[in-house]
């Protein structure tokens, strides 16, 4: 396992539509391990392969209230409802923004064992993370949903420290 360098806003790999994984082999399993390690190192709740420079449809998610999981070739089965969330991204560090996301999200994909699995989020961080990470593999960033870049809020370092101390619902999580 290894922590791989994160890619940041401006890197073209974040804007590419990532390729489907044709088959799960050791290199994919190693990629998933490294994605988890990189995500935990950065204290994120989700990560997509393009964020470490790999243009493949692989995502990992670990929200505080759930178990960690990886999905290969994830796709939406259903999305419904609208809600406002404050979101952040490991590839856009130091910022957050208020955007609209779905309330209910159902995604299917392959587990690392090659089984078809469905993951369901409803009005929670999991629903948000599923949309955020699948956006990543389609070359979309949450900032694309802002009316303008002026709407991006800078997180002050002090505020960020406080945010790490308390766990407030409205705080942006990085994905
Ligand atoms: Ni992100």
């Amino acid at each position: 396992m290894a922590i791989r360098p994160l890619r940041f806003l401006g890197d073209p790999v974040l804007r590419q539509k990532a390729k489907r994984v044709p088959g799960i082999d050791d290199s994919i399993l190693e990629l998933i391990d490294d994605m988890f390690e990189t995500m935990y190192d950065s204290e994120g709740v989700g990560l997509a392969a393009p964020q470490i420079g790999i243009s493949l449809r692989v995502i990992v998610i670990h929200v505080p209230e759930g178990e960690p999981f990886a999905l290969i070739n994830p796709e939406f089965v259903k999305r419904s409802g609208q809600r406002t969330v404050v979101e952040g991204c490991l590839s856009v560090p130091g910022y957050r923004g208020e955007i609209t996301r779905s309330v209910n999200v159902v995604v299917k994909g392959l587990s690392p064992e090659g089984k078809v699995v469905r993951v369901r989020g409803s009005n929670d961080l999991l629903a948000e993370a599923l949309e955020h990470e699948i956006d990543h593999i389609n070359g979309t960033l949450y900032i694309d949903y802002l009316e303008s870049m002026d709407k991006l809020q800078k997180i002050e370092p002090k505020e960020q420290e406080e945010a790490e101390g308390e766990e407030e619902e409205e705080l942006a999580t990085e994905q």
Side-chain angles (χ1 to χ4, degrees), residues 18-19 21 28 31-33 35-36 39 45-51 54 56-62 68-76 105 107-112 119 126-138 175:
K19 289 197 173 66
V21 173
I28 295 298
L31 169 67
I32 289 170
D33 282 348
M35 286 172 65
F36 274 116
M39 178 182 77
V45 299
L47 195 77
Q51 291 184 277
I54 306 295
L56 285 174
R57 304 184 81 79
V58 180
I59 65 172
V60 298
I61 291 176
H62 189 183
F69 65 91
L71 281 180
I72 296 156
N73 301 334
E75 52 191 78
F76 295 114
V105 178
V107 167
K108 73 170 180 181
L110 291 178
S111 70
V119 183
L126 177 56
E128 183 185 338
L130 286 165
E131 286 193 306
H132 183 107
E133 303 314 334
I134 293 178
D135 273 350
H136 268 304
I137 57 175
N138 289 325
Q175 309 176 34

Side-chain angles (χ1 to χ4, degrees), residues 2 12 21 24 28 34 42 45 51-52 71 76 82 96 98 109-110 119 122 138 140-141 162 171:
V21 173
I24 302 169
I28 295 298
D34 289 355
S42 305
V45 299
Q51 291 184 277
I52 54 168
L71 281 180
F76 295 114
Q82 285 199 333
R96 64 187 171 197
E98 198 175 278
L110 291 178
V119 183
S122 185
N138 289 325
T140 300
L141 299 172
E162 283 171 9
L171 288 169

Side-chain angles (χ1 to χ4, degrees), residues 38-45 90 164 174:
T38 305
M39 178 182 77
Y40 290 133
D41 180 63
S42 305
E43 298 178 1
V45 299
L90 293 172
E164 281 162 14
E174 294 194 300

